[in-house]
Amino acid sequence: MKNITIATAQFEMANGDKEYNLSIIRDLSAKAAAAGADAIAFHECSISGYTFARRLSIQEMIDLAEMIPDGPSIRALTAIARENKIVVLAGLFEKDETDSIYKAYVAVGADGVIAKFRKLHPFINPYINPGNEYVVFELQGWKCGILICYDNNIIENVRATALLGADIIFMPHVTMCTPSTRPGAGFVDPKLWVERETNPTPLRIEFDGLKGRAWLMKWLPARAYDNGIYAIFSNAIGMDDDQLKNGCSMIVDPFGDIIAECRHLGNDIALAVLTPEKLRLSGGYRYRQARRPELYKDIIGQPHVAEQKVVWLDSPNPQPAQPDLTTVQ
């Protein structure tokens, strides 16, 4: 297994405007490829837009969703991958032959879809069905997994994906800057985004504080460290419907260290070289080897009724303008 260079991206998406969103994906993919990236990861629903879907009817969701691998967005991603000699990972709403709706994330290369994952814990629209399986696939000899946003909050999902062999877990999100029961959470005033070029400091304080990055630091490095994997975190930035997102797309190594991060207040990419040596040197790898499943297999696997509550969905927006989504952590 040789070194691999991965890019993570952030950009401000447009509601339901796939052509526009794909144009940004094309531009950032070309920049990542020119910088030497073998693959680039975008946030969840980066093709379709995300939070606006909470208001869509079943027919509107069907109209928005696409078949995979035969839909036009997959064809567009394939062309982007082929043109730039790079693997592109991006998200969209999927429909199957029966018009069942899923939240999907795909890895696409020059010859089409390499892997597809369906979000296990969707919530943005009641007509979305949950996925029911983990996915592990190969990129240049590296084993990779995918978990979308809320999926990463359930630590068993990350451990299970790692135990299935994943060295890298792509973690596409649209998260942060929403109300929660945790201290310091809340929306960020969209006016700060409008004024970001002339007065960036108040926005950076909000984005880096407990509404944003400081919350992320409570758990994301731990997912990578505990499991001895590389975590590729991708997140939207800017206005997502009526909510503001803070980006902070980053790559975390198996030691739990941030080795690349988007810090621009706008569309951006960050690249990191992933080295296989870290996988075996990490504490997470050693601790996984020391596990004693006989002690807890019946505890972890005992019957349980899943209950998923997303606090911000019940919270009115603080102003009649625009901020985004996330999950309850």
Side-chain angles (χ1 to χ4, degrees):
M1 199 160 67
K2 299 181 179 179
N3 294 354
I4 187 172
T5 302
I6 303 291
T8 184
Q10 65 185 33
F11 73 90
E12 186 176 28
M13 58 186 160
N15 293 346
D17 191 340
K18 298 176 187 178
E19 183 176 353
Y20 171 81
N21 294 332
L22 284 164
S23 73
I24 303 301
I25 290 171
R26 179 176 291 105
D27 177 61
L28 294 179
S29 296
K31 290 179 179 178
D38 299 297
I40 182 169
F42 295 92
H43 57 270
E44 69 174 318
C45 286
S46 45
I47 295 171
S48 55
Y50 182 50
T51 301
F52 83 107
R54 71 191 190 273
R55 296 188 295 267
L56 299 185
S57 67
I58 179 62
Q59 187 58 55
E60 289 171 322
M61 287 298 296
I62 291 170
D63 293 342
L64 179 65
E66 297 184 27
M67 303 283 282
I68 298 174
D70 300 320
S73 292
I74 300 301
R75 291 196 294 272
L77 289 180
T78 302
I80 292 169
R82 185 181 301 121
E83 291 164 9
N84 296 287
K85 297 180 175 59
I86 190 171
V87 173
V88 182
L89 296 100
L92 69 163
F93 293 109
E94 177 194 9
K95 61 184 173 185
D96 65 14
E97 308 78 19
T98 66
D99 281 341
S100 295
I101 306 296
Y102 300 91
K103 171 84 69 58
Y105 194 77
V106 292
V108 176
D111 297 320
V113 174
I114 299 169
K116 179 186 75 174
F117 174 78
R118 290 171 171 172
K119 189 173 184 178
L120 306 174
H121 298 271
F123 60 82
I124 197 64
N125 182 285
Y127 303 110
I128 301 174
N129 296 284
N132 60 4
E133 62 181 357
Y134 300 111
V135 171
V136 175
F137 61 101
E138 189 169 307
L139 285 182
Q140 297 188 16
W142 291 72
K143 294 294 182 64
C144 303
I146 300 168
L147 292 168
I148 300 175
C149 202
Y150 200 102
D151 297 342
N152 293 281
N153 299 340
I154 290 81
I155 59 176
E156 289 86 350
N157 289 333
V158 184
R159 174 52 59 92
T161 304
L163 290 177
L164 287 171
D167 307 307
I168 302 167
I169 300 182
F170 291 94
M171 300 179 176
H173 280 64
V174 178
T175 194
M176 296 182 275
C177 303
T178 49
S180 171
T181 53
R182 60 183 171 82
F187 290 123
V188 174
D189 188 344
K191 291 189 298 183
L192 298 181
W193 180 249
V194 176
E195 299 169 354
R196 66 190 181 278
E197 293 184 0
T198 56
N199 189 25
T201 300
L203 182 63
R204 180 56 70 194
I205 290 171
E206 290 280 70
F207 276 4
D208 285 354
L210 284 172
K211 293 179 180 178
R213 190 178 186 275
W215 161 77
L216 195 67
M217 291 299 97
K218 293 178 181 291
W219 66 269
L220 180 60
R223 298 293 187 272
Y225 178 86
D226 287 344
N227 293 286
I229 53 95
Y230 284 93
I232 314 300
F233 173 83
S234 304
N235 189 41
I237 194 168
M239 297 311 303
D240 171 32
D241 195 39
D242 58 350
Q243 300 180 8
L244 180 56
K245 295 291 100 186
N246 67 320
C248 291
S249 293
M250 63 179 67
I251 298 174
V252 185
D253 75 6
F255 299 124
D257 295 329
I258 300 167
I259 55 175
E261 182 177 2
C262 296
R263 295 295 290 166
H264 179 60
L265 294 175
N267 299 355
D268 199 9
I269 60 171
L271 285 76
V273 176
L274 281 53
T275 60
E277 292 79 15
K278 286 185 178 181
L279 296 170
R280 299 298 177 261
L281 294 174
S282 68
Y285 174 78
R286 296 195 301 276
Y287 306 147
R288 277 165 41 200
Q289 299 304 106
R291 291 177 305 114
R292 294 182 58 195
E294 73 275 8
L295 295 175
Y296 38 78
K297 63 183 179 66
D298 294 333
I299 299 172
I300 294 175
Q302 65 183 301
H304 168 70
V305 177
E307 180 180 334
Q308 184 175 341
K309 181 174 176 58
V310 179
V311 173
W312 72 262
L313 283 175
D314 298 325
S315 302
N317 285 353
Q319 51 270 317
Q322 315 168 69
D324 170 24
L325 120 155
T326 203
T327 79
V328 179
Q329 268 83 23

